[in-house]
Amino acid sequence: MSQAQLIDGKAYAAKLRGMVAEGVATYSGEVGTVPGLAVVLVGDDPASRVYVANKAKQTVEVGMASFEHRLAADVPQEELLALIHRLNADDAVDGILVQLPLPKPLDEMAIISAIDPDKDVDGLHVVSAGRLASGLPGLVSCTPLGCMMLIRDTLGKDLSGKAAVVIGRSILVGKPVAQLLLAANCTVTMAHSRTANLEEVVRRADIVVAAVGRPEMVKASWIKPGACVIDVGINRVPAAEEGKTKLVGDVDFAEVAEVSGSITPVPGGVGPMTIACLLHNTLQAARMRRGLAQDQRF
Ligand code: NDP
Protein backbone atom coordinates (compact mmCIF):
# COMPACT_ATOMS: atom_id res chain seq x y z
CA MET A 1 0.00 0.00 0.00
CA SER A 2 1.39 3.34 -0.96
CA GLN A 3 1.76 5.88 1.86
CA ALA A 4 2.63 8.89 -0.24
CA GLN A 5 0.29 11.63 -1.41
CA LEU A 6 -0.23 11.15 -5.14
CA ILE A 7 0.52 14.35 -7.05
CA ASP A 8 -2.12 14.39 -9.77
CA GLY A 9 -0.56 16.26 -12.70
CA LYS A 10 -3.47 15.45 -14.97
CA ALA A 11 -5.95 17.17 -12.64
CA TYR A 12 -3.60 20.13 -12.03
CA ALA A 13 -3.03 20.55 -15.79
CA ALA A 14 -6.81 20.62 -16.38
CA LYS A 15 -7.15 23.31 -13.67
CA LEU A 16 -4.29 25.29 -15.24
CA ARG A 17 -5.88 25.10 -18.71
CA GLY A 18 -9.11 26.42 -17.18
CA MET A 19 -7.21 29.34 -15.62
CA VAL A 20 -5.47 30.04 -18.94
CA ALA A 21 -8.87 30.04 -20.73
CA GLU A 22 -10.14 32.64 -18.23
CA GLY A 23 -6.92 34.62 -18.74
CA VAL A 24 -7.42 34.52 -22.51
CA ALA A 25 -10.97 35.89 -22.13
CA THR A 26 -9.67 38.75 -19.94
CA TYR A 27 -6.85 39.41 -22.40
CA SER A 28 -9.16 39.56 -25.39
CA GLY A 29 -11.34 42.05 -23.47
CA GLU A 30 -8.28 44.23 -22.86
CA VAL A 31 -6.58 43.91 -26.26
CA GLY A 32 -9.35 43.00 -28.70
CA THR A 33 -7.49 39.96 -30.10
CA VAL A 34 -6.53 36.53 -28.75
CA PRO A 35 -2.98 35.25 -28.12
CA GLY A 36 -1.58 33.17 -30.98
CA LEU A 37 0.75 30.16 -30.87
CA ALA A 38 2.68 29.05 -33.97
CA VAL A 39 3.98 25.48 -33.99
CA VAL A 40 6.51 24.43 -36.59
CA LEU A 41 6.81 20.74 -37.45
CA VAL A 42 9.58 19.58 -39.75
CA GLY A 43 9.32 16.08 -41.22
CA ASP A 44 6.76 13.41 -40.40
CA ASP A 45 8.00 11.71 -37.25
CA PRO A 46 4.80 10.01 -35.94
CA ALA A 47 5.41 10.92 -32.26
CA SER A 48 6.07 14.57 -33.13
CA ARG A 49 2.89 14.67 -35.25
CA VAL A 50 0.84 13.45 -32.28
CA TYR A 51 2.44 16.07 -29.96
CA VAL A 52 1.80 18.87 -32.45
CA ALA A 53 -1.83 17.80 -33.02
CA ASN A 54 -2.39 17.76 -29.21
CA LYS A 55 -0.82 21.18 -28.83
CA ALA A 56 -2.99 22.65 -31.59
CA LYS A 57 -6.18 21.10 -30.14
CA GLN A 58 -5.51 22.37 -26.61
CA THR A 59 -4.50 25.83 -27.91
CA VAL A 60 -7.87 26.22 -29.62
CA GLU A 61 -9.71 24.80 -26.58
CA VAL A 62 -8.42 27.62 -24.33
CA GLY A 63 -9.52 30.19 -26.91
CA MET A 64 -6.16 31.02 -28.51
CA ALA A 65 -5.29 31.08 -32.20
CA SER A 66 -3.22 28.14 -33.42
CA PHE A 67 -0.96 28.43 -36.47
CA GLU A 68 0.54 25.17 -37.72
CA HIS A 69 3.45 25.11 -40.16
CA ARG A 70 4.45 21.75 -41.60
CA LEU A 71 7.66 21.52 -43.61
CA ALA A 72 9.26 18.60 -45.42
CA ALA A 73 12.09 16.77 -43.65
CA ASP A 74 14.56 17.98 -46.30
CA VAL A 75 13.64 21.66 -45.98
CA PRO A 76 16.77 23.81 -46.39
CA GLN A 77 17.91 25.54 -43.21
CA GLU A 78 17.53 29.00 -44.86
CA GLU A 79 13.87 28.29 -45.62
CA LEU A 80 13.17 27.30 -42.01
CA LEU A 81 15.02 30.38 -40.76
CA ALA A 82 13.00 32.57 -43.15
CA LEU A 83 9.78 31.13 -41.67
CA ILE A 84 11.01 31.88 -38.12
CA HIS A 85 11.78 35.46 -39.15
CA ARG A 86 8.28 35.83 -40.62
CA LEU A 87 6.72 34.50 -37.42
CA ASN A 88 8.92 36.88 -35.34
CA ALA A 89 7.53 39.80 -37.36
CA ASP A 90 3.89 38.62 -37.31
CA ASP A 91 1.99 40.48 -34.59
CA ALA A 92 -0.72 37.78 -34.46
CA VAL A 93 1.92 35.31 -33.25
CA ASP A 94 2.82 35.61 -29.55
CA GLY A 95 4.55 32.26 -29.15
CA ILE A 96 6.73 30.19 -31.48
CA LEU A 97 7.49 26.55 -30.84
CA VAL A 98 9.70 24.46 -33.10
CA GLN A 99 8.98 20.78 -32.45
CA LEU A 100 12.21 18.98 -31.55
CA PRO A 101 14.13 16.95 -32.49
CA LEU A 102 14.71 18.41 -35.96
CA PRO A 103 15.79 16.07 -38.75
CA LYS A 104 19.47 16.14 -39.66
CA PRO A 105 21.34 18.15 -40.93
CA LEU A 106 19.25 21.06 -39.56
CA ASP A 107 21.11 22.98 -36.85
CA GLU A 108 18.73 23.03 -33.84
CA MET A 109 20.76 25.60 -31.94
CA ALA A 110 20.76 28.02 -34.89
CA ILE A 111 17.00 27.60 -35.40
CA ILE A 112 16.15 28.12 -31.70
CA SER A 113 18.50 31.13 -31.58
CA ALA A 114 16.58 32.74 -34.45
CA ILE A 115 13.35 32.85 -32.41
CA ASP A 116 12.54 36.24 -30.86
CA PRO A 117 13.21 35.57 -27.12
CA ASP A 118 9.96 37.39 -26.27
CA LYS A 119 8.11 34.70 -28.29
CA ASP A 120 10.24 31.79 -27.03
CA VAL A 121 7.42 29.92 -25.29
CA ASP A 122 9.53 26.75 -25.08
CA GLY A 123 12.11 28.72 -23.06
CA LEU A 124 15.06 27.17 -24.91
CA HIS A 125 16.70 30.34 -26.27
CA VAL A 126 19.97 31.30 -24.55
CA VAL A 127 18.40 34.66 -23.70
CA SER A 128 15.58 32.82 -21.87
CA ALA A 129 18.15 30.73 -19.98
CA GLY A 130 20.12 33.90 -19.16
CA ARG A 131 17.03 35.74 -17.93
CA LEU A 132 16.14 32.78 -15.70
CA ALA A 133 19.66 32.58 -14.27
CA SER A 134 19.73 36.36 -13.73
CA GLY A 135 16.31 36.51 -12.06
CA LEU A 136 14.89 38.66 -14.88
CA PRO A 137 11.33 38.26 -16.15
CA GLY A 138 11.16 35.90 -19.11
CA LEU A 139 9.75 32.68 -20.45
CA VAL A 140 10.64 29.45 -18.62
CA SER A 141 10.67 26.09 -20.38
CA CYS A 142 7.45 24.21 -19.96
CA THR A 143 8.40 20.96 -18.21
CA PRO A 144 10.51 22.68 -15.49
CA LEU A 145 7.72 25.21 -14.94
CA GLY A 146 5.25 22.34 -14.62
CA CYS A 147 7.50 20.65 -12.03
CA MET A 148 7.60 23.84 -9.95
CA MET A 149 3.84 24.31 -10.09
CA LEU A 150 3.33 20.75 -8.82
CA ILE A 151 5.95 21.20 -6.06
CA ARG A 152 4.34 24.46 -4.88
CA ASP A 153 0.86 22.99 -5.05
CA THR A 154 2.04 20.09 -2.88
CA LEU A 155 4.39 21.77 -0.38
CA GLY A 156 3.00 25.32 -0.38
CA LYS A 157 4.36 28.51 -1.92
CA ASP A 158 7.24 28.96 0.56
CA LEU A 159 10.05 26.51 -0.24
CA SER A 160 12.75 28.52 1.58
CA GLY A 161 15.55 26.47 3.07
CA LYS A 162 14.44 23.15 1.63
CA ALA A 163 17.15 20.84 0.35
CA ALA A 164 16.49 19.99 -3.30
CA VAL A 165 18.36 17.50 -5.45
CA VAL A 166 17.87 17.53 -9.22
CA ILE A 167 19.15 14.39 -10.94
CA GLY A 168 20.02 15.32 -14.54
CA ARG A 169 21.55 18.51 -15.90
CA SER A 170 20.06 18.88 -19.38
CA ILE A 171 19.30 22.30 -20.83
CA LEU A 172 15.71 21.16 -21.37
CA VAL A 173 14.91 19.99 -17.83
CA GLY A 174 17.62 19.62 -15.17
CA LYS A 175 19.29 23.04 -15.38
CA PRO A 176 16.12 25.17 -15.52
CA VAL A 177 14.46 23.14 -12.72
CA ALA A 178 17.56 23.75 -10.56
CA GLN A 179 17.42 27.49 -11.35
CA LEU A 180 13.74 27.68 -10.43
CA LEU A 181 14.32 25.86 -7.13
CA LEU A 182 17.24 28.18 -6.38
CA ALA A 183 15.07 31.21 -7.14
CA ALA A 184 12.56 29.76 -4.65
CA ASN A 185 15.34 29.81 -1.99
CA CYS A 186 15.95 26.07 -1.90
CA THR A 187 19.47 24.77 -1.32
CA VAL A 188 20.01 23.02 -4.62
CA THR A 189 22.31 20.17 -5.58
CA MET A 190 22.55 19.15 -9.24
CA ALA A 191 23.45 15.50 -9.71
CA HIS A 192 24.46 13.83 -12.97
CA SER A 193 26.16 10.75 -14.37
CA ARG A 194 29.49 11.63 -12.70
CA THR A 195 28.07 12.38 -9.25
CA ALA A 196 29.81 10.37 -6.54
CA ASN A 197 27.61 8.62 -3.96
CA LEU A 198 24.43 9.57 -5.77
CA GLU A 199 22.19 7.65 -3.37
CA GLU A 200 23.67 9.47 -0.38
CA VAL A 201 23.28 12.84 -2.11
CA VAL A 202 19.63 12.13 -2.94
CA ARG A 203 18.92 10.93 0.62
CA ARG A 204 19.56 14.47 1.92
CA ALA A 205 16.78 15.96 -0.20
CA ASP A 206 13.40 17.29 0.90
CA ILE A 207 12.61 17.64 -2.81
CA VAL A 208 13.88 15.20 -5.46
CA VAL A 209 13.45 15.90 -9.17
CA ALA A 210 14.50 12.97 -11.36
CA ALA A 211 15.14 13.87 -15.03
CA VAL A 212 17.48 11.15 -16.19
CA GLY A 213 15.86 8.85 -18.76
CA ARG A 214 16.69 5.62 -16.88
CA PRO A 215 13.72 3.39 -16.04
CA GLU A 216 13.00 3.14 -12.28
CA MET A 217 16.56 4.07 -11.31
CA VAL A 218 15.66 5.91 -8.08
CA LYS A 219 14.93 3.41 -5.32
CA ALA A 220 13.18 3.71 -1.94
CA SER A 221 16.50 3.42 -0.07
CA TRP A 222 17.63 6.70 -1.75
CA ILE A 223 14.71 8.70 -0.39
CA LYS A 224 14.50 10.64 2.86
CA PRO A 225 11.19 9.71 4.52
CA GLY A 226 8.54 12.30 3.70
CA ALA A 227 10.37 13.83 0.71
CA CYS A 228 8.50 15.21 -2.29
CA VAL A 229 9.46 13.22 -5.40
CA ILE A 230 8.92 14.61 -8.89
CA ASP A 231 9.51 12.08 -11.66
CA VAL A 232 10.12 13.69 -15.06
CA GLY A 233 11.32 10.50 -16.76
CA ILE A 234 9.32 8.92 -19.57
CA ASN A 235 10.67 5.48 -20.45
CA ARG A 236 9.01 2.82 -22.56
CA VAL A 237 9.73 -0.71 -21.25
CA PRO A 238 8.35 -4.20 -21.93
CA ALA A 239 5.08 -4.87 -20.06
CA ALA A 240 4.19 -8.11 -18.25
CA GLU A 241 1.96 -9.09 -21.18
CA GLU A 242 4.09 -10.42 -24.01
CA GLY A 243 4.66 -8.08 -26.93
CA LYS A 244 3.23 -5.07 -25.04
CA THR A 245 5.05 -2.07 -23.64
CA LYS A 246 4.30 0.40 -20.85
CA LEU A 247 5.58 3.77 -19.66
CA VAL A 248 7.59 4.09 -16.46
CA GLY A 249 9.46 7.00 -14.91
CA ASP A 250 12.97 7.36 -13.55
CA VAL A 251 11.66 6.51 -10.08
CA ASP A 252 10.64 3.07 -8.88
CA PHE A 253 7.13 4.28 -8.08
CA ALA A 254 5.86 1.23 -6.18
CA GLU A 255 8.66 1.19 -3.63
CA VAL A 256 9.38 4.95 -3.41
CA ALA A 257 5.69 5.68 -2.71
CA GLU A 258 6.15 3.69 0.53
CA VAL A 259 8.74 6.15 1.82
CA SER A 260 8.17 9.54 0.20
CA GLY A 261 5.65 12.10 1.44
CA SER A 262 4.36 12.79 -2.04
CA ILE A 263 5.13 11.54 -5.55
CA THR A 264 4.14 12.08 -9.18
CA PRO A 265 3.03 8.99 -11.11
CA VAL A 266 4.14 8.17 -14.67
CA PRO A 267 2.03 8.61 -16.68
CA GLY A 268 -0.24 11.30 -15.24
CA GLY A 269 2.30 13.37 -13.30
CA VAL A 270 4.67 15.85 -14.93
CA GLY A 271 3.78 14.82 -18.51
CA PRO A 272 0.34 16.48 -18.75
CA MET A 273 1.77 19.71 -17.29
CA THR A 274 4.00 20.37 -20.31
CA ILE A 275 1.33 21.44 -22.83
CA ALA A 276 -0.67 23.27 -20.13
CA CYS A 277 2.49 25.28 -19.33
CA LEU A 278 3.01 25.98 -23.04
CA LEU A 279 -0.44 27.58 -23.13
CA HIS A 280 0.34 29.46 -19.91
CA ASN A 281 3.58 30.73 -21.48
CA THR A 282 1.80 31.86 -24.65
CA LEU A 283 -0.63 33.94 -22.59
CA GLN A 284 2.26 35.37 -20.53
CA ALA A 285 4.21 36.15 -23.73
CA ALA A 286 1.20 37.95 -25.23
CA ARG A 287 0.76 40.06 -22.08
CA MET A 288 4.48 40.79 -21.80
CA ARG A 289 4.79 41.83 -25.46
CA ARG A 290 1.97 44.33 -25.03
CA GLY A 291 3.30 45.73 -21.76
CA LEU A 292 0.37 44.34 -19.74
CA ALA A 293 0.83 43.27 -16.10
CA GLN A 294 1.45 39.55 -15.63
CA ASP A 295 -1.51 37.48 -14.54
CA GLN A 296 -0.94 37.22 -10.78
CA ARG A 297 -3.00 34.04 -10.38
CA PHE A 298 -0.16 31.92 -11.76
P1 NDP B 1 19.02 14.05 -21.22
O1 NDP B 1 19.40 12.73 -21.78
O2 NDP B 1 19.25 15.28 -22.00
O3 NDP B 1 19.73 14.23 -19.80
C1 NDP B 1 19.80 13.19 -18.88
C2 NDP B 1 20.58 13.62 -17.68
O4 NDP B 1 20.63 12.52 -16.77
C3 NDP B 1 22.03 14.01 -17.99
O5 NDP B 1 22.36 15.20 -17.32
C4 NDP B 1 22.84 12.82 -17.46
O6 NDP B 1 24.10 13.17 -16.89
C5 NDP B 1 21.96 12.32 -16.35
N1 NDP B 1 22.21 10.89 -16.09
C6 NDP B 1 22.25 9.90 -17.01
N2 NDP B 1 22.52 8.72 -16.39
C7 NDP B 1 22.66 9.00 -15.08
C8 NDP B 1 22.94 8.23 -13.93
N3 NDP B 1 23.15 6.91 -14.01
N4 NDP B 1 23.01 8.84 -12.75
C9 NDP B 1 22.81 10.17 -12.64
N5 NDP B 1 22.52 10.97 -13.68
C10 NDP B 1 22.45 10.39 -14.90
O7 NDP B 1 17.46 13.90 -20.84
P2 NDP B 1 16.33 15.02 -20.61
O8 NDP B 1 16.69 15.92 -19.50
O9 NDP B 1 15.93 15.62 -21.90
O10 NDP B 1 15.11 14.08 -20.17
C11 NDP B 1 15.18 13.30 -19.00
C12 NDP B 1 13.93 12.42 -18.92
O11 NDP B 1 12.78 13.25 -18.86
C13 NDP B 1 13.72 11.51 -20.14
O12 NDP B 1 13.15 10.30 -19.70
C14 NDP B 1 12.72 12.26 -20.98
O13 NDP B 1 11.93 11.42 -21.78
C15 NDP B 1 11.88 12.93 -19.90
N6 NDP B 1 11.22 14.17 -20.34
C16 NDP B 1 9.90 14.33 -20.04
C17 NDP B 1 9.22 15.45 -20.41
C18 NDP B 1 7.78 15.59 -20.05
O14 NDP B 1 7.33 15.07 -19.08
N7 NDP B 1 7.02 16.33 -20.75
C19 NDP B 1 9.87 16.53 -21.17
C20 NDP B 1 11.30 16.33 -21.33
C21 NDP B 1 11.93 15.18 -20.94
P3 NDP B 1 25.34 13.75 -17.79
O15 NDP B 1 24.99 15.20 -18.05
O16 NDP B 1 26.49 13.58 -16.89
O17 NDP B 1 25.37 12.91 -19.02
Side-chain angles (χ1 to χ4, degrees), residues 143 167-170 172-173 192-193 198 211-214 217 232-235 250 270-271 274:
T143 303
I167 320 174
R169 56 175 165 180
S170 70
L172 186 63
V173 190
H192 44 79
S193 66
L198 180 61
V212 185
R214 294 192 177 251
M217 181 183 89
V232 183
I234 302 177
N235 309 289
D250 292 339
V270 175
T274 300

Side-chain angles (χ1 to χ4, degrees), residues 82-168:
L83 171 61
I84 303 288
H85 292 141
R86 279 202 304 282
L87 296 173
N88 284 343
D90 185 344
D91 203 41
V93 172
D94 295 291
I96 303 170
L97 180 141
V98 177
Q99 185 66 42
L100 301 178
L102 288 171
K104 292 202 170 19
L106 291 169
D107 178 349
E108 273 182 10
M109 204 57 190
I111 306 295
I112 300 298
S113 299
I115 297 173
D116 176 348
D118 293 341
K119 296 188 177 189
D120 175 36
V121 284
D122 226 2
L124 296 179
H125 197 291
V126 286
V127 169
S128 301
R131 285 173 174 164
L132 177 60
S134 310
L136 296 170
L139 295 161
V140 177
S141 39
C142 304
T143 303
L145 187 60
C147 292
M148 279 309 284
M149 287 181 180
L150 294 179
I151 293 169
R152 284 212 155 99
D153 191 53
T154 308
L155 298 181
K157 289 245 183 285
D158 184 10
L159 303 176
S160 291
K162 295 208 180 292
V165 172
V166 180
I167 320 174

Side-chain angles (χ1 to χ4, degrees), residues 15 29 51 68 75 111-112 116 125 146 163 169 172-173 177 186 196 213 216 253 267:
K15 189 170 96 180
Y51 289 139
E68 259 184 80
V75 65
I111 306 295
I112 300 298
D116 176 348
H125 197 291
R169 56 175 165 180
L172 186 63
V173 190
V177 167
C186 292
E216 302 180 322
F253 181 88

